[in-house]
Amino acid sequence: MSVVSFIPQIWEARLLSNFHSRSVADVITTKPVEVQGNTVKFNRTGAVQVKDYAGSVTFDDVNTTPIDLVLNQKKYFAIKLNDADKVQAAGDVLDAYTADASASVQEVIDSYVLSLYTAAKHTIGDDKTPVALDKTNVYDYIVDLGTKLSTAKVPMANRFVIVNAQVLGLLSKDPRFTANPAVLENGVVEGQKINGMQVVVSENIANVSGKYKILAVHQSAIGYEKQIENIEAIRLESDFADAVRGLFVYGATVLRPEAMAVLTATIA
């Protein structure tokens, strides 16, 4: 039993690979344009001016608003192993460990990113007057969320609507939706769009005292980044075992609240 051959890059690659395959946050958000340590930068671009042509052309400066985000959210995992070297050498065993760690971190991060629904500019219902959803109206209400984005001139491409499993169950009973939806590992419901929005399933979307949230969002609305800051193996002094521990840092910020719409509902 030893940690002399521990290769952190192997563990980090497996952790990130497993994370990306399951992460809703990676699907629905935009990545930073620059990374400097634990600070990342996003650019919000302004509208391009369109002018009447009268024989000459004037050029405008590019209008961008830089937004800095400090990755100040931190989560760690720490697992005890009989022999870290043997686990590392056995690919299937390593995958099992890293998949479990990645899934746990992914749920925490997805919950954090999806909690930003509170910044949405457009709403249908609220915690005091939620919409009562059932199989006859759920599809139409989701269409209405997409219409709110369209009214705000949000681009049609890269739109998503995040629902939980119960809402997906109601949708499956509507003939306009598929009866047997195939949900991919990252929550994307394969081949299913409503009013131009890709349907994504996550149990990490807010549920407060029986009030469910359905979030319609354009990819440009939320900026998000994560990193594995450190991963290392140690020999435990108090046990005949090795240990592997890793630290994730992450952060997210709302870039375009007008590109978000949220529905608050109860489910019959």
Side-chain angles (χ1 to χ4, degrees), residues 226-247:
K226 69 176 179 309
Q227 298 173 4
I228 297 180
E229 188 170 87
N230 193 20
I231 185 166
E232 60 185 5
I234 58 175
R235 185 66 181 165
L236 296 175
E237 295 182 0
S238 59
D239 205 336
F240 295 103
D242 302 331
V244 175
R245 60 189 181 188
L247 177 64

Side-chain angles (χ1 to χ4, degrees), residues 149-237:
L149 296 185
S150 296
T151 302
K153 299 182 179 180
V154 176
M156 287 298 297
N158 299 317
R159 288 187 187 185
F160 303 90
V161 59
I162 298 91
V163 304
N164 65 16
Q166 287 177 279
V167 174
L168 180 63
L170 292 179
L171 285 170
S172 301
K173 298 175 183 178
D174 190 302
R176 291 168 291 182
F177 200 79
T178 182
N180 296 293
V183 182
L184 303 181
E185 210 170 8
N186 57 5
V188 172
V189 183
E190 194 171 28
Q192 291 303 305
K193 289 187 175 183
I194 299 177
N195 199 4
M197 300 180 295
Q198 173 63 58
V199 180
V200 179
V201 179
S202 175
E203 292 307 302
N204 298 308
I205 189 74
N207 171 14
V208 181
S209 301
K211 310 296 192 306
Y212 296 88
K213 306 294 179 179
I214 297 176
L215 176 63
V217 61
H218 186 265
Q219 200 169 47
S220 66
I222 299 174
Y224 157 70
E225 177 65 324
K226 69 176 179 309
Q227 298 173 4
I228 297 180
E229 188 170 87
N230 193 20
I231 185 166
E232 60 185 5
I234 58 175
R235 185 66 181 165
L236 296 175
E237 295 182 0

Side-chain angles (χ1 to χ4, degrees), residues 74-165:
K74 299 185 177 184
K75 300 294 179 183
Y76 77 91
F77 71 90
I79 53 178
K80 185 167 64 175
L81 310 168
N82 286 334
D83 191 323
D85 285 350
K86 287 184 178 179
V87 169
Q88 180 175 280
D92 55 342
V93 178
L94 176 58
D95 282 340
Y97 279 108
T98 55
D100 189 57
S102 294
S104 299
V105 174
Q106 168 254 317
E107 287 195 9
V108 172
I109 295 180
D110 280 353
S111 295
Y112 177 77
V113 171
L114 293 173
S115 72
L116 297 178
Y117 75 85
T118 54
K121 185 174 181 179
H122 316 289
T123 59
I124 298 176
D126 55 36
D127 288 337
K128 291 184 178 179
T129 55
V131 173
L133 291 182
D134 57 39
K135 66 180 182 180
T136 67
N137 65 12
V138 61
Y139 192 99
D140 291 328
Y141 272 115
I142 292 176
V143 168
D144 292 343
L145 281 177
T147 300
K148 285 187 174 291
L149 296 185
S150 296
T151 302
K153 299 182 179 180
V154 176
M156 287 298 297
N158 299 317
R159 288 187 187 185
F160 303 90
V161 59
I162 298 91
V163 304
N164 65 16

